[in-house]
């Protein structure tokens, strides 16, 4: 009840109501004995730095549907929204599991144990940034199309093709799950 609304909070569509609501408003509340609205977004700290061990570790596969999957999705989504990100991997918030989200068509898609099973030969190189490396931009070559196998939030196996920017975002987040950061592309290119 003590967390103020993050600067980039978009959950309130124009702000809080002027008086305490009779019903529940998405992700909002009021501090006890106060009419001051408080945001309940689940914003976690994003780990920063290319030498952080959690960012460099290969994340553990998820073996069974997590009981707290809705909570984890909310943590990832709210943190990405607050940081104006288009994707976020669990290791970036200190959770060493093969879980990430990617923003596709204005919606965050949850990916559990994502595995790229096909990459197009055609690549393009685009400068990328990373929420874990503020102020760093690196030209990264990536496949223009990929096929991804993953489990969704209901633990159903999915296979989906991603193209262009969507493919780039997915590849970036899958890299995080394998301990790879954009700065590694800079050093590998000589």
């Amino acid at each position: 009840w003590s967390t103020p609304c993050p600067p980039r909070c978009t959950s309130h569509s124009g702000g809080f109501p002027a008086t305490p609501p009779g019903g529940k408003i998405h992700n909002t509340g009021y501090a006890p004995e106060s009419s001051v609205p408080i945001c309940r977004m689940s914003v976690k700290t994003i780990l920063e730095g290319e030498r952080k061990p959690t960012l460099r570790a290969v994340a553990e596969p998820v073996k069974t549907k997590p009981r707290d999957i809705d909570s984890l999705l909310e943590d990832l989504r709210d943190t990405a929204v607050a940081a104006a990100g288009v994707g976020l991997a669990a290791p970036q918030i200190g959770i060493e599991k093969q879980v990430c989200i990617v923003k596709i068509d204005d919606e965050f898609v949850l990916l559990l144990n994502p595995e790229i099973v096909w990459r197009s030969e055609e690549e393009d190189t685009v400068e990328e940034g990373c929420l874990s490396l503020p102020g760093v931009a690196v030209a990264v070559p990536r496949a223009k199309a990929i096929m991804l196998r993953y489990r969704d939030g209901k633990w159903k196996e999915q296979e989906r093709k991603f193209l262009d920017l969507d493919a780039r975002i997915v590849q970036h987040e899958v890299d995080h799950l394998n301990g790879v950061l954009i700065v590694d592309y800079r050093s590998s290119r000589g």
Side-chain angles (χ1 to χ4, degrees):
W1 285 84
S2 61
T3 305
C5 189
R8 291 193 175 102
C9 175
T10 58
S11 295
H12 306 114
S13 303
F16 292 98
T19 58
K24 187 174 182 179
I25 302 292
H26 173 71
N27 279 341
T28 63
Y30 284 81
E33 299 177 22
S34 170
S35 63
V36 177
I38 301 298
C39 181
R40 288 190 190 155
M41 285 187 71
S42 181
V43 178
K44 302 298 182 189
T45 300
I46 296 174
L47 299 179
E48 295 180 358
E50 63 183 278
R51 290 186 177 86
K52 282 273 192 221
T54 302
L55 296 176
R56 289 312 197 157
V58 175
E60 292 290 319
V62 179
K63 294 185 175 111
T64 60
K65 181 182 178 183
R67 280 180 270 155
D68 63 345
I69 194 64
D70 292 334
S71 174
L72 178 56
L73 173 59
E74 184 177 328
D75 290 349
L76 288 167
R77 185 190 60 236
D78 289 353
T79 304
V81 166
V86 293
L88 192 66
Q92 291 180 275
I93 60 170
I95 299 169
E96 294 184 38
K97 293 290 182 186
Q98 291 271 331
V99 179
C100 63
I101 59 169
V102 293
K103 194 171 192 178
I104 307 295
D105 298 326
D106 267 346
E107 294 289 327
F108 282 106
V109 176
L110 177 66
L111 308 174
L112 300 165
N113 300 330
E115 177 189 4
I116 298 170
V117 294
W118 173 82
R119 296 175 197 263
S120 67
E121 290 183 23
E122 186 179 3
E123 290 186 339
D124 63 353
T125 300
V126 175
E127 200 165 80
E128 290 182 19
C130 179
L131 296 174
S132 290
L133 300 169
V136 175
V138 177
V140 179
R142 299 217 188 257
K144 290 188 75 167
I146 62 168
M147 183 65 71
L148 189 76
R149 184 176 301 137
Y150 64 97
R151 289 194 180 270
D152 64 17
K154 294 180 178 157
W155 201 243
K156 291 184 180 171
E157 191 166 295
Q158 305 285 337
E159 202 164 283
R160 183 171 172 183
K161 189 174 187 177
F162 293 91
L163 304 171
D164 302 317
L165 179 59
D166 295 342
R168 178 168 292 279
I169 295 167
V170 170
Q171 290 171 88
H172 180 107
E173 298 312 325
V174 170
D175 274 356
H176 274 297
L177 301 178
N178 292 305
V180 176
L181 299 173
I182 59 173
V183 292
D184 300 332
Y185 288 89
R186 179 172 51 204
S187 60
S188 70
R189 294 173 64 217

